[in-house]
Amino acid sequence: MSLDDGGRSYWDQKLKELQNEKCCICSNCRSCKMYFWKELGELFFEVQDDQKQQKQYLPVRQLPEEILKHLEPSVGMSELYYSRIKWKRNSTFYNKFVMLKGMSSSTPPMLNNIFDTEEFVGGGFYFNWQGYGVVIDPGYYFIKNLHRMGLSVLDIDAVVITHEHIDHNNDMRLLDDLHYSVARYSKQNGKAHVIDWYMDKVSYDIALTWRRNGAGLNAKANNLHCLASDVEYEFKVDELFLETCPTKHIWNPSAGRYRDHTVGTKFRCRSGAGETVIVYTSDTRYYPELADFVRDADAVIANISGIYEEDYKLVKEKNTHLGYYGCFNLMKECFERHQRYPSFYFLSEFWNGKSDIRYDVAKCLRKDLNAQKITQIRVIPAEVGMIFDIEHCKIQCSRCGAFTDRVIVKKPGGMKEKVEVLCPECCF
């Protein structure tokens, strides 16, 4: 019988017989027969199998029982991660600024090797304003620190990266990959969770390269923005604004000047009760105009880095970081120019060297500033886990959890101990 004069009729008849077959044949063999016959229909008569088109068609090959028993009851890691957080924002951190960074650059991994531990961490910063979560400079161990605080990638709506150095953007790839894995489970009103990335020009170009090559930061789950200095950006939430300023951090020897793509940041958090301004200097050498940028700040996070003798003696500034000279002169210049200074001065990104010098440096800086009649400033070494109440300008006590504006800094007992801040009650 040729295909032209009856082949299709024969195929249709045989298909009906297979569909109505009532013998005791096992489902596996029946599936095999149906699979074979429908493949012939598609090959010779262009008959489309609806199940196959809808991707409901099951292959004949069966998995061994020892493999199947592991797969059938299981769910993917992404689904387990999402089921743990269930898209429920961690309201504990509403209107809070969380320090997730203490030491800088390669200090944490070196110390982890020296002490055979994983307790030394770098990181970044996270804050939430009116339910909108913002990450700043997700460096070494940022994701680890984020999870330890009870937060997840779905608590993040925006990421701000000030420059491309590894201690400021190391975890951007990991953050994106984790977000990509769980974003599809996070649909609200039919839309999956999306992160807005605000990045310096170099980090932005890196992100575009990943996107073009299908290696990350895809357009469905991420919006990319290139930061420029001296510009104001409005986040996708009421009354939260980002302002930028130039920093002098990465020297360009061929041009004989600092590269112009690195930025410092200012966050204006507004509410019916007023406005709180938080400035993050990022990495920069000191220059007098920086005082104009911080003049209206309620809290400043200053990246201090290493301390050297001439720097500490206030006779010579550092070339690429604030150091002691820059941290001192930034507040002195702010006070002299504008007759005001922030209530809280957090020193971050220490390069510790041979021992933990954070407490002693902060204590000396406070003493030197007090001598300049800057007496109401609280100088605090930033530590992983410190929480600042943005709305009320208070810091959380490390012991009792209460928020206070009367804070006592406790000196760590060694390299492995954390800096603590205590309220008067716990200190007593």
Side-chain angles (χ1 to χ4, degrees), residues 26 49 55 62 66 70 80 194 196 229 275 341 345 418:
C26 71
D49 182 353
K55 297 183 180 180
Q62 297 295 309
E66 58 268 27
H70 294 293
L80 286 173
V194 174
D196 280 287
S229 60
E275 177 182 78
Y341 49 86
Y345 198 23
K418 284 188 174 184

Side-chain angles (χ1 to χ4, degrees), residues 15-16 22 30-31 37 54 56 58 105 137 147-148 193 207 220 229 254 315 338 376:
L15 180 64
K16 281 186 178 182
K22 297 186 182 299
R30 182 174 180 179
S31 297
W37 204 248
Q54 297 169 12
Q56 297 174 350
L58 298 177
S105 302
D137 282 355
H147 287 159
R148 280 182 169 181
H193 184 247
K220 290 184 178 179
S229 60
S254 62
V315 297
H338 307 288
Q376 300 301 312

Side-chain angles (χ1 to χ4, degrees), residues 99 101-105 123-125 136-137 162-163 165 167-168 247 249 263-265 279-286 290 300-307 318 320-327 330 345-351 382:
M99 311 289 173
K101 185 172 192 171
M103 302 174 190
S104 70
S105 302
F125 306 92
I136 310 168
D137 282 355
T162 62
H163 64 284
H165 283 167
D167 53 333
H168 292 255
T247 57
H249 178 51
V263 297
T265 56
V279 169
Y280 168 60
T281 66
S282 188
D283 290 353
T284 182
R285 72 172 295 167
Y286 170 72
L290 190 60
V300 171
I301 300 105
N303 285 0
I304 186 169
S305 191
I307 303 297
K318 297 182 67 175
T320 58
H321 291 88
L322 286 172
Y324 192 91
Y325 178 100
C327 288
L330 179 59
Y345 198 23
F346 295 98
L347 306 183
S348 178
E349 200 172 294
F350 276 87
W351 178 272

